[in-house]
Amino acid sequence: MTPNKEDFIKAIHELGGQDTVVTNKELVRSLSISAASVTEMNNRLLKEELITHLPYQGVQLTEKGLLIANQLIRKHRIWEVFLAEKLGYDWNEVHADADLLEHASSDFLIERLNIFLGEPTFDPHGGVIPNKDGTIPEIHSTPLIECQTGDRFKIKEVDDQEDFLEYLLYKKVKLGKEYTISDIEPYDGPFTLEALNGERTLIGHKAAFKILVELLN
Amino acid sequence: MTPNKEDFIKAIHELGGQDTVVTNKELVRSLSISAASVTEMNNRLLKEELITHLPYQGVQLTEKGLLIANQLIRKHRIWEVFLAEKLGYDWNEVHADADLLEHASSDFLIERLNIFLGEPTFDPHGGVIPNKDGTIPEIHSTPLIECQTGDRFKIKEVDDQEDFLEYLLYKKVKLGKEYTISDIEPYDGPFTLEALNGERTLIGHKAAFKILVELLN
DNA sequence: AACTTTTTTTAGTCTACCCTAAAAATATTT
DNA sequence: AAATATTTTTAGGGTAGACTAAAAAAAGTT
């Protein structure tokens, strides 16, 4: 496994290669390499049985390929948590450095880092961190950030940072409490939540990552 | 700068390439590559003016090459501190992972990490961490671990970890106190220190890294 | 000084990437 | 259905890095 192959597999995954066929054209755009280079890399990964290939149609990840993709995403997201939480990176800054680091991380390192970070479930963007074995943890709760206007939900879990918990206390957000989303402002604007008793609460965009909810139908 | 070139420059540096000529043979052994590959890499670095070359004699780092070497060592050692202090690596474990990480670290990342670690001066082996600009900080104190039997010194600085300070308190080691090394046991054994009043103190091998002294002729 | 051994360099290959230009296959339009 | 446009593949090249085998240079020995 070389960094380039890893990036290629990750790109296929990002373009939906777990369930749909990804075209060369999409990979050309996504990786900014020539069409010829895509064909070439396809052939390499094909030989290793990491993808399947329908000529002139596109590629798709095999079980084996998907496992590798998930393990890469695990590494990537664990590094993102580190960069954001420990080194004070802004969200927009974490991606590039995590992309470099993920290719230079032994499994031993990642497991140690994971423990150091308190075995986080989500990355700073609210993305789920895959398990060590490449499986995706069963998340019955959804980050609030992924919900839509009109969704009804119950608070399931919240980030346990001192100041964030204080903020929630002030907002009267409690575990188990039910809300409906009455509005989501565009451009990273706040969520307006409406409780059962009609009480309205404004929740900031960043906070919406740190609140996990269970959707109720 | 590619990872391979970086490793090559580091190898030259480790073999004394700041002041002496390093032979191809030494590089072959150190990097475990063929003699032909060494000649080839020499030519590449020569073209970039990172080394000078005396045919059939060896290579030596230029000013430019030395700067790059020191910046790599900086990255390497900062990662070593992280792995040892934050992730609980043993000393023998830090090197391999730091070697990978150093090639995947932006300057931005290293500076953030450095601050996160409290701007350490030494790596877990007692090696000095070069400055950001590639210069070596003027260290008037020497890690005790680098001292020899018979050396007379004054305690200059100690690692400020809670439990370590307690240990020193118990051992009656204080800043400014003078000792002579009366014995160093082999195989990472303890140092026997003798104070001016004849009092003898046993200092463990690991502790010897965390104590900085000023040698008195 | 001539022979032998060691070290370095050159010559010729190989793989993993990447590229451009042209050919082949598929899709779209008329 | 034929012509055109798009996409993919093939063909041919380039660079970085590594190799082996052979030639050349230097060092060591008799």
Side-chain angles (χ1 to χ4, degrees):
Chain A
M1 240 333 118
T2 66
N4 281 319
K5 278 184 196 163
E6 290 183 347
D7 282 339
F8 205 88
I9 285 176
K10 262 194 14 177
I12 294 171
H13 184 267
E14 271 155 30
L15 295 168
Q18 329 171 41
D19 14 64
T20 53
V21 168
V22 175
T23 64
N24 285 15
K25 200 192 165 190
E26 290 175 293
L27 288 164
V28 164
R29 232 203 27 232
S30 166
L31 292 162
S32 302
I33 57 174
S34 71
S37 297
V38 169
T39 297
E40 222 181 346
M41 188 62 95
N42 280 346
N43 290 334
R44 278 183 218 126
L45 298 184
L46 210 54
K47 213 176 294 170
E48 295 178 52
E49 295 182 302
L50 300 174
I51 58 172
T52 54
H53 182 228
L54 297 168
Y56 286 96
Q57 289 200 241
V59 294
Q60 198 165 349
L61 291 176
T62 59
E63 277 294 312
K64 210 168 141 193
L66 180 59
L67 218 89
I68 289 174
N70 283 337
Q71 281 164 344
L72 286 168
I73 292 166
R74 173 180 171 79
K75 288 185 177 186
H76 183 89
R77 293 188 173 169
I78 286 175
W79 274 118
E80 282 191 341
V81 172
F82 173 72
L83 296 176
E85 284 195 5
K86 301 295 180 184
L87 301 195
Y89 276 52
D90 291 332
W91 313 12
N92 49 313
E93 294 171 331
V94 295
H95 198 80
D97 276 332
D99 250 339
L100 283 177
L101 291 167
E102 70 183 17
H103 301 300
S105 311
S106 65
D107 290 347
F108 181 79
L109 168 58
I110 291 297
E111 296 325 311
R112 289 284 178 120
L113 184 58
N114 185 44
I115 288 163
F116 175 63
L117 296 172
E119 310 193 44
T121 311
F122 298 99
D123 73 7
H125 305 277
V128 178
I129 298 175
N131 292 318
K132 197 172 168 178
D133 63 4
T135 60
I136 306 293
E138 278 267 346
I139 299 292
H140 298 294
S141 41
T142 314
L144 176 55
I145 195 77
E146 287 175 15
C147 298
Q148 315 287 322
T149 302
D151 281 354
R152 202 161 70 78
F153 62 81
K154 193 198 277 185
I155 303 289
K156 219 30 195 317
E157 196 185 330
V158 299
D159 200 295
D160 68 343
Q161 279 185 285
E162 198 67 38
D163 49 348
F164 182 62
L165 291 169
E166 255 176 67
Y167 167 78
L168 292 182
L169 201 68
Y170 164 67
K171 289 281 182 184
K172 292 184 182 147
V173 172
K174 296 189 197 89
L175 290 188
K177 198 164 170 182
E178 287 183 27
Y179 291 96
T180 306
I181 300 179
S182 53
D183 185 51
I184 302 173
E185 282 292 316
Y187 297 109
D188 293 358
F191 285 56
T192 307
L193 307 185
E194 187 175 332
L196 292 178
N197 60 9
E199 159 203 56
R200 280 168 180 261
T201 310
L202 230 61
I203 293 293
H205 179 77
K206 268 200 174 184
F209 282 99
K210 304 185 177 185
I211 298 173
L212 302 183
V213 306
E214 183 188 340
L215 286 171
L216 306 167
N217 56 45
Chain B
M1 240 331 119
T2 65
N4 282 320
K5 277 185 195 163
E6 290 183 348
D7 282 338
F8 205 88
I9 285 176
K10 262 193 17 177
I12 294 171
H13 185 267
E14 272 155 28
L15 295 168
Q18 329 170 42
D19 15 64
T20 53
V21 170
V22 174
T23 64
N24 285 15
K25 199 192 167 192
E26 290 175 293
L27 287 164
V28 165
R29 232 202 28 231
S30 167
L31 292 162
S32 302
I33 57 174
S34 72
S37 297
V38 169
T39 296
E40 223 180 346
M41 187 62 95
N42 279 346
N43 290 333
R44 281 185 214 122
L45 298 183
L46 209 53
K47 214 176 292 171
E48 296 178 52
E49 293 182 303
L50 300 174
I51 58 172
T52 54
H53 181 228
L54 297 168
Y56 287 95
Q57 289 199 242
V59 295
Q60 198 164 350
L61 292 175
T62 59
E63 277 293 313
K64 211 169 139 193
L66 180 59
L67 218 87
I68 288 174
N70 283 337
Q71 281 164 344
L72 286 169
I73 292 165
R74 173 180 171 79
K75 288 186 178 186
H76 183 89
R77 293 187 173 170
I78 286 175
W79 275 118
E80 282 190 340
V81 172
F82 172 72
L83 296 176
E85 285 195 4
K86 302 295 180 184
L87 302 195
Y89 276 52
D90 290 334
W91 315 12
N92 48 313
E93 295 171 329
V94 295
H95 199 79
D97 276 333
D99 250 339
L100 284 176
L101 291 167
E102 70 184 17
H103 301 299
S105 312
S106 65
D107 290 348
F108 181 78
L109 168 58
I110 290 296
E111 295 325 311
R112 290 283 178 120
L113 184 59
N114 186 43
I115 288 163
F116 175 64
L117 296 172
E119 311 194 43
T121 311
F122 299 97
D123 74 7
H125 305 277
V128 179
I129 298 175
N131 292 319
K132 196 171 166 178
D133 64 3
T135 60
I136 305 292
E138 279 266 347
I139 300 292
H140 299 293
S141 43
T142 312
L144 176 54
I145 195 76
E146 286 175 15
C147 298
Q148 314 287 321
T149 302
D151 282 354
R152 203 162 69 79
F153 63 81
K154 192 198 282 186
I155 304 288
K156 218 32 195 317
E157 195 184 331
V158 298
D159 199 296
D160 68 342
Q161 279 183 287
E162 198 68 37
D163 51 347
F164 182 62
L165 291 168
E166 254 176 67
Y167 167 80
L168 292 181
L169 201 69
Y170 163 68
K171 290 280 182 183
K172 291 182 183 150
V173 171
K174 297 190 198 90
L175 290 187
K177 198 164 170 183
E178 287 184 27
Y179 291 96
T180 306
I181 300 178
S182 53
D183 184 52
I184 302 174
E185 282 293 317
Y187 298 108
D188 295 355
F191 285 56
T192 307
L193 308 185
E194 187 173 332
L196 292 177
N197 60 9
E199 159 203 53
R200 280 169 179 259
T201 310
L202 230 60
I203 293 292
H205 179 76
K206 270 201 172 182
F209 281 98
K210 304 184 177 186
I211 296 172
L212 302 182
V213 306
E214 183 186 339
L215 286 171
L216 307 167
N217 53 44

